[in-house]
Amino acid sequence: MVERSPFLRILSHLVLIAGVFVVAFPLYVTFVASTQTADEILQAPMSMVPGSHLIENYTAALGGTGKGGASNAPVGRMMMVSLITALVIAVGKIAISLLSAFAIVYFRFPFRMLFFWAIFVTLMLPVEVRIGPTYKVVSDLGMLNTYAGLTIPLIASATATFLFRQFFLTVPDELVEAARMDGAGPLRFFKDVLVPLSTTSIAALFVIQFIYGWNQYLWPLLVTTNETMYPVVIGIKRMISGGDAATDWNIVMATAVLAMIPPAAVVMLMQRWFVKGLVDTEK
C-alpha cells in the first residue's frame, strides 16, 4: 500500500527532479558546446548559453570539413555505417534466436539439450573473453573493414535465444494440437502462430539490440582501420587528436549530439511496445 502524504509527494518529486538533472545536464552541456566555437569552449568557465554557430558546426560535422589535427571524416557516412551495423545486428540476432529457440522447443533430435546448454553457457562469456580468437578468424577470412566483419561475430545472442525458448515453453500444447489439426506444418505454425505471439518480445529485443549494435566500440576499434568504415562511436574517438594538435571540440560535441539521435528516436518511437514487451505477462 502506498502512503499518500504531502511530504512524500514533495520528496518523490525532488528525487525525480534530481535524477532528471543528473541525466540531462551533461546532455545540455554537450549541446551548448556544439553551438559554440572551439575557442569559446576552452574559456573558463564555459558559457552555459547556446551559441550562434549551431548550423555551421553541424554542417561541418556532417560534411567532414572540420579543421582539427585528427580525423575529419564525414559524420554522415559514419552514421550510415552505424545504422546498417545496428540494424543487421538487431534483426540478425532476433531471427537467429527465434529459429534456435523454435528448434530447441518443438523438435526432438539427438543432443538437443546439449546444444541448449552450450548456448546457455555462452551467456557467461563476455565478448572480451573471445575477442582475440574471433579477430583471428575474421582477419583470416579477409573481413576486416567490411560490414560482414562488423556484424557477423556479434549476430548470435544466447540471451535472446534463452528468452524466446522460455516464452515458447509457455505456449499451450492445445494451440500446437489445434494448428496440427488445421494442417499447419512446422514453418506455418512458426510464421502464423509463434511470431505474432512474440511481437512485443521482438519489439523489446529490437530496441535493446539496436542500441547494443549502435554503441559498439571495442569490436569496431579492432576490425576497422579505414575511415570509410568507421562507426560514429569510433569516429568521435578518432576526432580527438593527441599531443599538441588542436581538437575541434565544437565539432566533436556536434558529432556526439548527432550520434545520440538515432537510438533516442528508436526508443521514443517504440516506447509502447518496448515497455509492453518487458512487463507483459499475458503470454
Side-chain angles (χ1 to χ4, degrees):
M1 181 176 179
V2 179
E3 183 180 354
R4 297 180 181 275
S5 70
F7 172 75
L8 289 178
R9 183 176 300 174
I10 294 173
L11 179 63
S12 61
H13 279 79
L14 288 176
V15 172
L16 285 174
I17 292 171
V20 170
F21 180 79
V22 169
V23 174
F25 184 69
L27 301 181
Y28 177 73
V29 173
T30 304
F31 173 74
V32 169
S34 71
T35 63
Q36 300 181 356
T37 64
D39 292 336
E40 290 173 340
I41 293 175
L42 294 178
Q43 292 178 359
M46 188 186 84
S47 172
M48 287 292 104
V49 178
S52 58
H53 301 274
L54 185 146
I55 297 177
E56 175 187 338
N57 291 342
Y58 281 82
T59 303
L62 288 170
T65 56
K67 300 175 183 176
S71 173
N72 291 318
V75 175
R77 168 73 186 179
M78 297 180 193
M79 293 185 70
M80 182 58 66
V81 173
S82 291
L83 180 64
I84 294 173
T85 303
L87 286 175
V88 171
I89 290 175
V91 174
K93 276 178 179 286
I94 291 171
I96 293 175
S97 301
L98 274 170
L99 292 171
S100 302
F102 177 59
I104 290 172
V105 174
Y106 290 101
F107 289 85
R108 300 292 180 267
F109 53 89
F111 309 114
R112 179 172 62 96
M113 292 310 297
L114 176 63
F115 286 120
F116 168 70
W117 284 110
I119 294 172
F120 187 78
V121 167
T122 61
L123 283 170
M124 306 169 192
L125 296 176
V127 174
E128 290 77 8
V129 172
R130 52 185 171 83
I131 201 165
T134 306
Y135 176 82
K136 172 67 174 170
V137 172
V138 170
S139 176
D140 291 346
L141 293 176
M143 293 196 299
L144 298 179
N145 292 310
T146 65
Y147 285 111
L150 280 171
T151 56
I152 290 177
L154 304 176
I155 212 168
S157 172
T159 305
T161 303
F162 179 72
L163 292 177
F164 281 125
R165 184 246 185 196
Q166 296 306 106
F167 170 67
F168 289 166
L169 288 175
T170 65
V171 176
D173 293 337
E174 291 80 4
L175 199 57
V176 181
E177 291 299 325
R180 188 175 297 158
M181 291 176 66
D182 286 342
L187 286 181
R188 186 177 173 190
F189 174 70
F190 174 76
K191 179 173 67 71
D192 293 343
V193 178
L194 288 182
V195 172
L197 285 175
S198 309
T199 302
T200 53
S201 299
I202 291 173
L205 276 172
F206 177 83
V207 174
I208 294 171
Q209 300 301 343
F210 182 88
I211 295 173
Y212 167 81
W214 184 274
N215 290 334
Q216 277 299 309
Y217 176 76
L218 181 59
W219 180 247
L221 186 66
L222 289 177
V223 299
T224 57
T225 55
N226 190 329
E227 282 191 346
T228 60
M229 290 304 297
Y230 284 168
V232 68
V233 177
I234 300 299
I236 294 173
K237 171 65 177 66
R238 301 291 189 189
M239 287 179 178
I240 301 173
S241 55
D244 296 331
T247 298
D248 284 339
W249 285 109
N250 51 340
I251 307 300
V252 174
M253 294 297 111
T255 305
V257 172
L258 289 171
M260 286 187 278
I261 293 175
V266 168
V267 172
M268 287 188 287
L269 291 174
M270 302 188 65
Q271 182 182 15
R272 184 163 62 90
W273 296 280
F274 177 64
V275 174
K276 190 175 180 182
L278 293 179
V279 303
D280 190 7
T281 57
E282 295 179 0
K283 306 293 187 184

